[in-house]
Amino acid sequence: MEVKLSFPADHPPLYVIATAKVAGIPISEDSSLASGSLPTFLISSNDNELKLRGTSINALLRYLGRVASIPNFYGRDAFESCQIDEWLEYAPTFSTGSEFENACCYVDGILLQRTFLVGYSLSIADIAIWSGLAGSGQRWESLRKSKKYQNLVRWFNSIYAEYNTVLNEVTETYVGKRGLGKPMPAKMKEKEQQGINNHMKNVNGDANEKGKASSKATAEVDLPDAEVGNVRLRFAPEPSGYLHIGHSKAALMNQYFAQRYQGQLIVRFDDTNPAKESNEFVENLLKDIETLGIKYDAVTYTSDYFPQLMEMAENLIRNGKAYVDDTPREQMQKERMDGIESKCRNNSPQKNMELWKEMIAGSERGLMCCLRGKLDMQDPNKSLRDPVYYRCNPLPHHRIGSEYKLYPTYDFACPFVDAKEGITHALRSSEYHDRNAQYHRIQEDMGVKKVHIYEFSRLNMVYTLLSKRKLLWFVQNGKVDGWDDPRFPTVQGIVRRGLKIDALIQFILEQGASKNLNLMEWDKLWTINKKIIDPVCPRHTAVIEEKRVLVTLADGPEKPFVRIIPRHKKFEGAGEKCTTYTKRIWIDYADAVSISENEEITLMDWGNAIIKEIRKDQDGNITQLIGVLHLEGSVKTTKLKLTWLPETSELVNLSLMEFDYLITKKKVCGS
């Protein structure tokens, strides 16, 4: 019997290949099918031939499960076979970016008291789920190295250990760091990495030369229809808050692609809501953009285009593609959800123009109205159900004062201004996915050039809100010092807390322009930061004042003396410091309780000493240690290496602040 599996190289059926390898069923693999083709399974025996098309990968898996020599590979009875079928239906969940971690959590719970997913032996269900995890590439490998899903990792590792040879062959052939698909040719990989390295060099400048911080950036994707020298991008924050870590990802992704394609980058302020915006936010956003090292070609404002936007709105009204609606807001929202057309939808262009002029005047009648696009109230995508284009707002604008009484919505202004500014590719986070169809439909109605949209995943952090509206609540209610509070996820906040911008850049570029949603741990960012600062950061010594313990060295110097020692033993650039050596020194109480009588210890930057006596009060608390120096002793033989301070009036009191999370819930919905 001969078995042949055909599939496209960019989408190999990993479940089937791994199952066949584990079962020891020889198959001929042909990866020459065109991209997008369905895999086929051809079984030839004598004069008979069976051809299975991959409309259902599960059909191929069931066939392999039935013919395999592994006992109970497709269940020992009909009940177990049904359970296996449920797992086969569930396996593709691991290829859905937004559901990946939920799937890991679910399977981890199942495996709490189980060795295999179904029954008491290996089945094709185990291989299917194993392949789903392995096929996600670096995403699973990162989780596998953590302690997050211990049951799942135990199960995964046990299968890998049992079938190491064949599974290694499968993953090395078909799975790369970015997950399932045809491995990147060596030359392309080298070219991609060179582009990333150049980007890091441009962003970090001399800091990269000093710190030598490596980058594992993974922005290994192409913009659709992009041509070198003809790419124009925009980073478009709303000036309603300070730049936070989520915006940083968008800014750096835009710069990455602008440099990669030798294109242009515009910073545009989407200032269409005077109720939330101010010049303070504009100034600080520009400051934060500069902090990130973003190099832009121009700064523009959506408000620069208000006259053209008004003109476009009137053209749409005249052409029957927009109408003025006075339906109360709550009723309008309900009608949109239910697909019910507004009573104003079929008003004549003349009637709409009359009401439009009332809106422009900001009259009592006009304030009751809004301008809506006439798209499709029956579309399953609710963003296409006649979105609002203009709303009245009598508040003055932070740039242009009280010239206007109405302002365009982001949904209306963005596609227009993108086209007018010659933007070729609009990078948007995947939270806007459902609005992409709306964006292109509005451009079509406007008759402007279509702009490509490229999505990347929004950056989400544990214990963190990234909504500017919600961050503003913390500021206004005095829960934080301001937008630069060290507990805030703003650029100014995390820099004030001690983060190096190089670390933030590396952290974000390591995630690349992936569309997979991730909930990131802060620990990873601070680990990168430590690697950057540890080689160069000056060292200072402190002792906790509360319950500190005095150590008297009987043969210590009667007269204090000073030595000049380096602030960092391996980095001369950190400078030097003066250390005073005295007969009586202070150590932390926690260090004192770990010492035994007659134990030899090492006093850092001095030498060894032997503690001869430990004195305690009536409650058993250590109050003083008596010892002698033993400077000829070897530091290699001591268990305790302790920091200390001299007993002198020159010591400086200081307070160390340890910041916790503002939010106590790890995953915050709607952040």
Side-chain angles (χ1 to χ4, degrees), residues 310 354-369 391-395 402-407:
M310 295 274 287
E354 289 176 14
L355 292 173
W356 171 250
K357 289 177 181 177
E358 296 286 345
M359 289 179 65
I360 293 174
S363 67
E364 184 177 348
R365 179 80 175 100
L367 292 174
M368 299 169 61
C369 301
R391 281 196 177 96
C392 285
N393 191 336
L395 294 176
S402 301
E403 183 177 348
Y404 296 95
K405 301 293 187 295
L406 74 173
Y407 295 92

Side-chain angles (χ1 to χ4, degrees), residues 289-310:
I289 288 168
E290 183 179 349
T291 299
L292 286 174
I294 303 298
K295 308 297 182 185
Y296 50 85
D297 294 281
V299 174
T300 65
Y301 298 81
T302 297
S303 54
D304 293 337
Y305 299 89
F306 278 178
Q308 296 98 308
L309 283 161
M310 295 274 287

Side-chain angles (χ1 to χ4, degrees), residues 15 32 86 95 110 118 125 148 150 164 275 331 360 449 505 535 591:
Y15 306 164
S32 62
E86 289 182 351
S95 62
I110 295 292
V118 177
K148 195 167 185 181
Q150 294 183 7
N164 178 271
Q331 181 183 338
I360 293 174
K449 184 180 178 181
I505 292 169
D591 289 337

Side-chain angles (χ1 to χ4, degrees), residues 357-404:
K357 289 177 181 177
E358 296 286 345
M359 289 179 65
I360 293 174
S363 67
E364 184 177 348
R365 179 80 175 100
L367 292 174
M368 299 169 61
C369 301
C370 68
L371 180 69
R372 296 176 67 181
K374 188 183 281 190
L375 303 187
D376 186 353
M377 285 298 293
Q378 307 307 316
D379 199 293
N381 183 341
K382 293 182 174 62
S383 74
L384 288 165
R385 295 183 180 180
D386 292 8
V388 174
Y389 285 175
Y390 264 89
R391 281 196 177 96
C392 285
N393 191 336
L395 294 176
H397 190 276
H398 68 93
R399 286 188 72 229
I400 54 180
S402 301
E403 183 177 348
Y404 296 95

Side-chain angles (χ1 to χ4, degrees), residues 467-606:
S467 162
K468 284 187 289 186
R469 176 176 58 83
K470 293 174 182 176
L471 293 176
L472 180 63
W473 180 90
F474 281 90
V475 176
Q476 291 178 334
N477 287 275
K479 304 297 183 183
V480 292
D481 289 343
W483 287 93
D484 64 346
D485 190 288
R487 296 164 293 174
F488 247 23
T490 56
V491 170
Q492 292 186 34
I494 55 181
V495 167
R496 185 181 170 195
R497 187 165 178 162
L499 187 79
K500 292 292 183 182
I501 288 300
D502 291 353
L504 178 60
I505 292 169
Q506 184 177 332
F507 173 74
I508 288 173
L509 291 183
E510 279 185 7
Q511 298 165 55
S514 166
K515 299 181 184 180
N516 295 330
L517 295 176
N518 289 310
L519 185 63
M520 302 298 294
E521 299 279 349
W522 282 98
D523 288 353
K524 182 177 181 182
L525 176 57
W526 293 114
T527 298
I528 295 172
N529 196 60
K530 183 178 180 181
K531 289 179 180 178
I532 291 174
I533 66 174
D534 193 58
V536 297
C537 187
R539 267 53 173 173
H540 298 279
T541 303
V543 169
I544 298 174
E545 189 171 20
E546 184 182 2
K547 295 182 73 174
R548 59 183 173 166
V549 175
L550 189 66
V551 180
T552 300
L553 299 168
D555 58 346
E558 293 295 336
K559 185 178 180 180
F561 67 91
V562 175
R563 285 180 185 161
I564 306 299
I565 63 174
R567 285 201 178 104
H568 192 302
K569 289 182 173 62
K570 297 181 180 179
F571 178 56
E572 188 178 337
E576 297 176 327
K577 62 181 178 180
C578 297
T579 298
T580 303
Y581 297 80
T582 58
K583 188 169 186 171
R584 291 152 63 93
I585 61 174
W586 296 107
I587 65 171
D588 282 320
Y589 186 84
D591 289 337
V593 298
S594 63
I595 301 173
S596 305
E597 281 193 356
N598 296 312
E599 180 178 1
E600 186 168 358
I601 63 172
T602 297
L603 300 173
M604 299 297 291
D605 295 321
W606 194 345

